[in-house]
Amino acid sequence: MRAFRLTRGALRIVFAALLIVAFSATAEAEGLLGPGDVLSLSLPGEEGVTGAFPLDDQSRVILPEIGHVNLLGLSIEQAKTKLSEALSKVYRNTESFDATLKEHRKLVTVLGYVRQPGTVDLSGDAGVQEAVTAAGGLVPGAQLDRMQLRRDGRNETFNFKKYLDTGDTTLIPALRTMDTVFVPASPLTGNVQVEFDARTLTEGGDAAENKTGVKIFGEVRSPGAYGYADGQSVVDLIMRAGGVTRYAAVEQIRVITNGEPQPFNLKLYLDTGDTSTIPSVGPGSTIFVPIETVGVKKGSRIVYVMGEVFKPGAFEVQDETSFLDVLANSGGPTRFADTKRVRILRKNGTAEPFDLAMYSEVGGSGVALPQLFPGDSIFVPEKLDLNEKSWLKVAPSRAVHVMGQVAKPGRFEWSDEMTFMDLLAHAGGPTPRADIGAIQIAMPSGDGTVRSVRFNLDEYLKNGGNVSDVPTIMAGYTIMVPELPWDPKDNKSQWMRQPAERSLYVFGAVKAPGRYAFDPSLNLLDILSAADGPTASADLHSIRINHRGEEKTRVSTVDLELYFRTGDEMLLPDVKPGDAVYVPERGREWIDKSKERTVRVLGSIGKPGRYVFSDEMTILDLLAEAGGPTGTALQDKILVVNLSCCRDQARTFDLIDFAKSGDVRKLPLVRPGDTVYVPDKSQDNWTRFTGFVKDAGQLLALFALAGVL
């Protein structure tokens, strides 16, 4: 026999364990410190040494920068002195150090048939039940009447089950720190660990260990071994096993007694009551109830039910048996059944559809039950799963295609009682990028042609309308929900999908010119905002709109600046899809300006030229915009020629006299299309020149040459 030697380290561990066990009982009795106790330490100014400190399984406390300090068997005052001495080696001021016992705890090990075996930390007054609960509770199959308490190398067996039945605490031992509670397994669980319901241990017979018991198995409700009593028959024993199940072959029961097999027809016995058909049984007999074999039923009055019903099979029918009678006997349709597409498969090979869902809604009015004949078959198909995109699930003659910007595009089964809204909701509804104002519906006809219509769902939802405005959908149609165009600055290939008849074109001095989707409910300000607004150089006085959708092309001009000053909505023209908006720039060539909207300023002026003129302006505004008269100008002889409206006339304006008087009544009326001429002092005989002109008509003819410019 080989002797073994313990190392010095191992001897220390063994000695420490024995010392802890030896002191545990005394420590608890005298209030001395032991494993699991919690101390409350306080050292002002040092957070690391202030708070709760538990003792480990060796009665040691761990202090910062000190390490382990063993306090086994010490009183609280002794522990305080020992800790203060240890802290004084690192910390200077330990005079204010204090240590108190916060809580007595127990460290108990729980092993065996518990869910979380191991060491648990318990309160000072905790018992066996708290220890088992802290270990996760008992595992099914635990033997409660043979639980053990291990302490100081001794085992104590106690009946925990009796304690649970009576509540008598004297039946269970009190726990001490470092105790071990062991929960054994019941011998009924066998040698293999399996998951089971503990209640079934008593349902497997009443003679599991009795070799003379009768073994009953097969199609009975509680197979197992049962004790035999004199005078019992096969029927009595089968009844003790809970009786036969619905799948039992009661005509083919097998009984083995003393090694001799005997058949037993339970159905024959129940039909005749003949006790001579019952075989004899005794101790050690075996009874087997087989499962009924499945046979094919056929006959001259059989109807078959297949598909999504609870009990498919063959059913015998009589002359008065109806379709609902057969369907009810098969258990009825399951929740996966498509009751709208039930098929009656006739014996001659034809198939007849039947809408059971419609019949259940309207009853016998308008929908008749199909008549059944022997040899017919009822097929209840499976309901179509929207998540399964297989086109084989729906025939083309019953499908509607939904494509584009919907949540779940695909092929959907169509029914005549459905509407366009039903179908769109069935497809998950439009996506946020869907253009619901231009939904396209392709309607094929019988001659091979396809007619396409467009439906404005956005307008219908906002403004309402007649139900007849919603397109009627039929099987075979295709619905396309287009995508809204992307920003033309980012992706030209996307916005080109926008149809021209629903687009509006914006050109000129805007920040984002391009082709935009336009709705008739929008106005000019909406489309300019979509184009990021006019640029800083835009001429807001003469925005032009080309109305292309009218029979005769028309161009209108908008003074947007006047609109912002007056707020008059009448100044904004109606804009429709297909129109083009052009925002010109300021400072363009004078030839771009209409002569009907400008005033010519000629002569001795700072900046002669053509200037845009409005009714709110005066001749002073015009002269100021043209740079004002030069130093050589005859400011008292300014000539104003009116050619714009009413009657042609010419008159002079004395700017010097007006500056002296300030009388605004002396300001001549100037309108767009007029001409203002400022003569120069260097011109010889100006007075003579004006004298030769006898009337304004000759002078107007002179300036008429300039009017064609």
Side-chain angles (χ1 to χ4, degrees):
M1 183 176 182
R2 180 183 299 176
F4 66 94
R5 300 172 60 186
L6 292 175
T7 63
R8 181 175 298 178
L11 288 172
R12 290 178 179 175
I13 294 175
V14 173
F15 177 75
L18 294 176
L19 186 62
I20 291 172
V21 172
F23 275 102
S24 61
T26 304
E28 290 187 15
E30 300 180 3
L32 303 181
L33 297 178
D37 289 344
V38 180
L39 297 180
S40 178
L41 306 183
S42 174
L43 182 58
E46 298 295 338
E47 295 182 359
V49 197
T50 300
F53 289 81
L55 276 64
D56 61 11
D57 56 355
Q58 299 183 28
S59 300
R60 299 177 303 178
V61 65
I62 303 177
L63 298 178
E65 302 186 25
I66 301 299
H68 294 84
V69 179
N70 196 321
L71 303 178
L72 176 64
L74 301 181
S75 66
I76 188 62
E77 293 298 329
Q78 294 171 337
K80 177 180 178 181
T81 302
K82 189 173 183 178
L83 293 174
S84 179
E85 292 175 356
L87 292 172
S88 63
K89 299 177 182 180
V90 178
Y91 301 94
R92 293 182 178 180
N93 184 15
T94 60
E95 296 177 356
S96 57
F97 172 74
D98 189 23
T100 58
L101 177 63
K102 182 177 182 180
E103 184 181 5
H104 265 306
R105 304 290 295 179
K106 294 179 181 178
L107 294 180
V108 177
T109 302
V110 184
L111 303 176
Y113 248 47
V114 291
R115 298 189 184 278
Q116 299 174 357
T119 301
V120 295
D121 185 3
L122 304 175
S123 61
D125 58 349
V128 174
Q129 188 166 5
E130 289 84 351
V132 172
T133 303
L138 299 170
V139 174
Q143 188 173 6
L144 305 185
D145 62 341
R146 303 290 297 173
M147 290 177 59
Q148 301 175 16
L149 175 64
R150 299 175 181 177
R151 178 187 301 163
D152 300 339
R154 298 187 304 273
N155 289 347
E156 178 184 352
T157 302
F158 60 93
N159 192 336
F160 189 65
K161 174 65 169 58
K162 190 173 182 180
Y163 160 73
L164 295 177
D165 292 338
T166 63
D168 187 0
T169 57
T170 61
L171 298 174
I172 55 176
L175 292 181
R176 296 178 183 175
T177 187
M178 304 307 294
D179 283 352
T180 298
V181 177
F182 178 75
V183 182
S186 172
L188 295 179
T189 60
N191 297 323
V192 180
Q193 174 67 30
V194 295
E195 295 291 337
F196 65 97
D197 181 3
R199 186 181 62 180
T200 61
L201 289 176
T202 60
E203 294 181 354
D206 56 8
E209 299 179 359
N210 190 355
K211 297 182 180 179
T212 62
V214 177
K215 304 172 187 64
I216 306 175
F217 61 101
E219 289 300 320
V220 291
R221 298 189 183 278
S222 300
Y226 292 86
Y228 175 75
D230 293 339
Q232 286 185 328
S233 66
V234 175
V235 178
D236 297 330
L237 292 170
I238 291 177
M239 291 299 296
R240 289 187 61 186
V244 298
T245 67
R246 57 178 296 190
Y247 306 104
V250 294
E251 299 176 353
Q252 303 172 9
I253 298 176
R254 303 289 186 268
V255 180
I256 301 177
T257 303
N258 298 326
E260 295 182 3
Q262 303 175 63
F264 174 48
N265 189 337
L266 179 60
K267 183 177 184 302
L268 177 62
Y269 167 71
L270 297 176
D271 290 341
T272 62
D274 187 1
T275 57
S276 63
T277 59
I278 302 178
S280 61
V281 293
S285 295
T286 299
I287 302 175
F288 173 65
V289 182
I291 189 171
E292 185 177 8
T293 58
V294 179
V296 178
K297 294 183 179 180
K298 63 179 181 178
S300 58
R301 306 197 64 82
I302 296 296
V303 171
Y304 307 93
V305 183
M306 302 175 292
E308 288 298 326
V309 292
F310 284 97
K311 295 185 296 180
F315 299 88
E316 185 176 356
V317 297
Q318 304 297 328
D319 294 339
E320 65 276 7
T321 305
S322 67
F323 172 84
L324 294 181
D325 296 330
V326 177
L327 195 62
N329 276 272
S330 67
T334 67
R335 65 188 182 95
F336 304 104
D338 187 355
T339 56
K340 297 181 65 63
R341 298 189 296 119
V342 178
R343 296 288 184 271
I344 311 300
L345 308 178
R346 299 298 184 185
K347 188 176 181 179
N348 58 8
T350 60
E352 298 179 9
F354 175 61
D355 192 339
L356 179 60
M358 178 64 72
Y359 178 84
S360 64
E361 292 178 3
V362 302
S365 58
V367 180
L369 287 173
Q371 187 177 1
L372 295 180
F373 301 97
D376 291 347
S377 298
I378 302 174
F379 176 65
V380 182
E382 181 184 4
K383 187 182 300 181
L384 177 65
D385 186 3
L386 287 179
N387 296 323
E388 188 175 351
K389 300 300 183 182
S390 174
W391 61 271
L392 293 173
K393 287 287 186 179
V394 182
S397 59
R398 295 186 296 107
V400 174
H401 309 81
V402 182
M403 300 181 294
Q405 290 298 313
V406 292
K408 295 182 292 185
R411 298 172 74 253
F412 297 92
E413 185 179 12
W414 180 254
S415 180
D416 291 338
E417 62 264 22
M418 295 173 64
T419 65
F420 172 82
M421 299 299 182
D422 296 328
L423 182 62
L424 196 61
H426 206 40
T431 66
R433 292 291 309 162
D435 184 3
I436 60 175
I439 298 178
Q440 296 176 334
I441 304 173
M443 303 177 176
S445 58
D447 56 0
T449 60
V450 177
R451 182 171 62 93
S452 180
V453 298
R454 180 171 296 158
F455 176 53
N456 191 337
L457 178 61
D458 184 51
E459 181 180 358
Y460 182 81
L461 295 177
K462 290 180 180 178
N463 304 325
N466 199 310
V467 178
S468 61
D469 297 336
V470 181
T472 302
I473 306 299
M474 299 180 63
Y477 283 12
T478 299
I479 299 175
M480 177 65 185
V481 182
E483 182 182 10
L484 287 170
W486 296 85
D487 190 340
K489 298 182 296 184
D490 297 336
N491 195 333
K492 295 294 184 183
S493 63
Q494 293 291 335
W495 66 265
M496 287 181 65
R497 298 180 182 178
Q498 176 69 30
E501 59 271 16
R502 297 191 67 248
S503 301
L504 193 140
Y505 306 86
V506 183
F507 305 101
V510 292
K511 296 178 182 179
R515 187 166 174 258
Y516 288 86
F518 191 75
D519 189 274
S521 62
L522 305 178
N523 55 34
L524 178 63
L525 297 180
D526 295 323
I527 198 63
L528 289 178
S529 300
D532 294 341
T535 63
S537 61
D539 184 3
L540 302 182
H541 293 283
S542 55
I543 297 177
R544 300 173 187 173
I545 302 174
N546 187 351
H547 303 276
R548 303 171 58 233
E550 301 179 359
E551 296 181 359
K552 185 178 180 180
T553 302
R554 178 173 61 90
V555 177
S556 60
T557 303
V558 181
D559 190 341
L560 192 60
E561 185 173 345
L562 179 60
Y563 167 76
F564 286 129
R565 283 191 284 108
T566 63
D568 187 3
E569 294 290 339
M570 299 298 295
L571 297 176
L572 297 179
D574 292 334
V575 183
K576 297 181 179 179
D579 292 351
V581 178
Y582 173 68
V583 181
E585 292 187 3
R586 294 194 304 267
R588 61 190 184 277
E589 296 296 331
W590 64 270
I591 197 171
D592 292 336
K593 301 177 182 178
S594 172
K595 59 186 179 62
E596 289 79 8
R597 298 184 61 250
T598 61
V599 174
R600 306 170 186 83
V601 183
L602 309 175
S604 185
I605 197 73
K607 294 185 295 180
R610 301 171 67 196
Y611 292 90
V612 177
F613 192 80
S614 65
D615 294 338
E616 292 80 9
M617 299 174 63
T618 66
I619 190 173
L620 299 179
D621 300 320
L622 189 62
L623 293 176
E625 189 174 0
T630 64
T632 61
L634 290 174
Q635 301 183 28
D636 57 343
K637 301 296 184 180
I638 298 175
L639 185 63
V640 180
V641 181
N642 299 120
L643 297 174
S644 56
C645 69
C646 305
R647 59 188 182 87
D648 299 337
Q649 64 179 0
R651 56 182 296 190
T652 59
F653 170 56
D654 189 344
L655 181 60
I656 297 176
D657 182 53
F658 172 77
K660 293 179 180 179
S661 64
D663 188 1
V664 295
R665 293 176 297 177
K666 297 181 179 181
L667 294 177
L669 181 62
V670 181
R671 297 186 181 90
D674 293 351
T675 301
V676 177
Y677 181 73
V678 183
D680 189 82
K681 296 177 181 180
S682 62
Q683 292 177 298
D684 294 335
N685 300 324
W686 171 256
T687 304
R688 184 186 306 171
F689 171 75
T690 56
F692 285 127
V693 181
K694 299 298 184 182
D695 52 24
Q698 295 177 349
L699 188 59
L700 296 175
L702 178 64
F703 286 103
L705 297 176
V708 299
L709 299 179

